[in-house]
Amino acid sequence: MSQDDVVNLFKESGALLTGHFKLTSGRHSDVYYEKFTLLKQPALCTRLCARMADTLRTTGVRTIVGPTTGGIILAYDVARYLGVEAIYAEAADDGKGRVFKQGFHLEPGQKVAIVDDVLTTGTSVDEVIALVRRYGAEIVGLRLMLDRSNGKVRFDYPFAALATVAAESWDPAECPLCAKAMPLTQRGSRKF
């Protein structure tokens, strides 16, 4: 599966949107990759997960970790292809970082790969990295469906995205769409 194939899956599924969006990071953008539009379609999502799994086969990974919410789906399916376990990192109750709940834990030295959906600033991946490191587990790889930072976000672990795109984002104070008084785009009942 090529990078163009991945971007086309976003387009074909209706997951590539244009407008004026507030991203999870708080930044604004004129393009939004609505991962849940793609993730709700198992026939498409599983193709991406199979490809992520293929890139992890030689790493010795024993556990796939994904951040809530989209990462749950990806971690489960990537782990299924690899025949290993999947666990999920949820937001801490105090809103600072990630924690394992549901009795999930890691052992020191356990080989772990972290998977996530769309990368903009890397905050959620950094939070999962910090959590995995607290357990003393070994991170053997990071895999993402889409890197919208165009490779600007870097990690200290083997990292690969199925596709990398240049999608601009701005601090709200510097957003050219806000300067034009363009309202934030809404889709359904969800605000962006």
Side-chain angles (χ1 to χ4, degrees), residues 3-189:
Q3 172 164 306
D4 288 342
D5 292 334
V6 174
V7 173
N8 284 333
L9 283 178
F10 274 87
K11 289 177 183 175
E12 292 167 16
S13 68
L16 176 55
L17 308 174
T18 57
H20 181 194
F21 303 98
K22 181 178 179 182
L23 306 175
T24 304
S25 64
R27 296 178 65 80
H28 289 197
S29 182
D30 58 355
V31 64
Y32 189 79
Y33 292 87
E34 179 45 272
K35 59 195 170 219
F36 292 111
T37 299
L38 193 138
L39 293 176
K40 73 179 184 179
Q41 300 179 52
L44 299 180
C45 182
T46 197
R47 291 172 55 195
L48 299 173
C49 292
R51 181 66 190 122
M52 278 194 260
D54 287 344
T55 70
L56 292 166
R57 286 200 191 282
T58 61
T59 63
V61 65
R62 300 306 319 144
T63 303
I64 305 296
V65 179
T68 54
T69 304
I72 292 174
I73 296 166
L74 299 175
Y76 176 86
D77 211 29
V78 170
R80 182 177 65 84
Y81 277 107
L82 292 170
V84 300
E85 72 176 358
I87 62 176
Y88 322 110
E90 300 181 51
D93 291 337
D94 64 4
K96 297 178 183 174
R98 302 276 172 160
V99 296
F100 289 132
K101 297 181 182 178
Q102 317 306 325
F104 294 146
H105 69 280
L106 297 169
E107 299 296 329
Q110 187 171 351
K111 291 186 177 192
V112 171
I114 297 168
V115 299
D116 202 6
D117 38 47
V118 178
L119 174 73
T120 299
T121 63
T123 300
S124 63
V125 173
D126 283 335
E127 290 174 347
V128 178
I129 289 170
L131 173 61
V132 169
R133 290 181 58 170
R134 286 196 305 267
Y135 281 85
E138 178 186 350
I139 299 170
V140 298
L142 307 172
R143 299 296 185 270
L144 288 121
M145 282 188 344
L146 182 77
D147 174 3
R148 62 172 278 141
S149 82
N150 200 28
K152 292 178 185 170
V153 176
R154 303 282 181 176
F155 300 100
D156 293 331
Y157 298 94
F159 164 71
L162 298 180
T164 301
V165 296
E168 287 198 64
S169 69
W170 308 277
D171 183 273
E174 299 169 356
C175 176
L177 304 173
C178 288
K180 293 177 185 176
M182 183 177 183
L184 291 173
T185 303
Q186 294 187 35
R187 184 164 181 259
S189 62

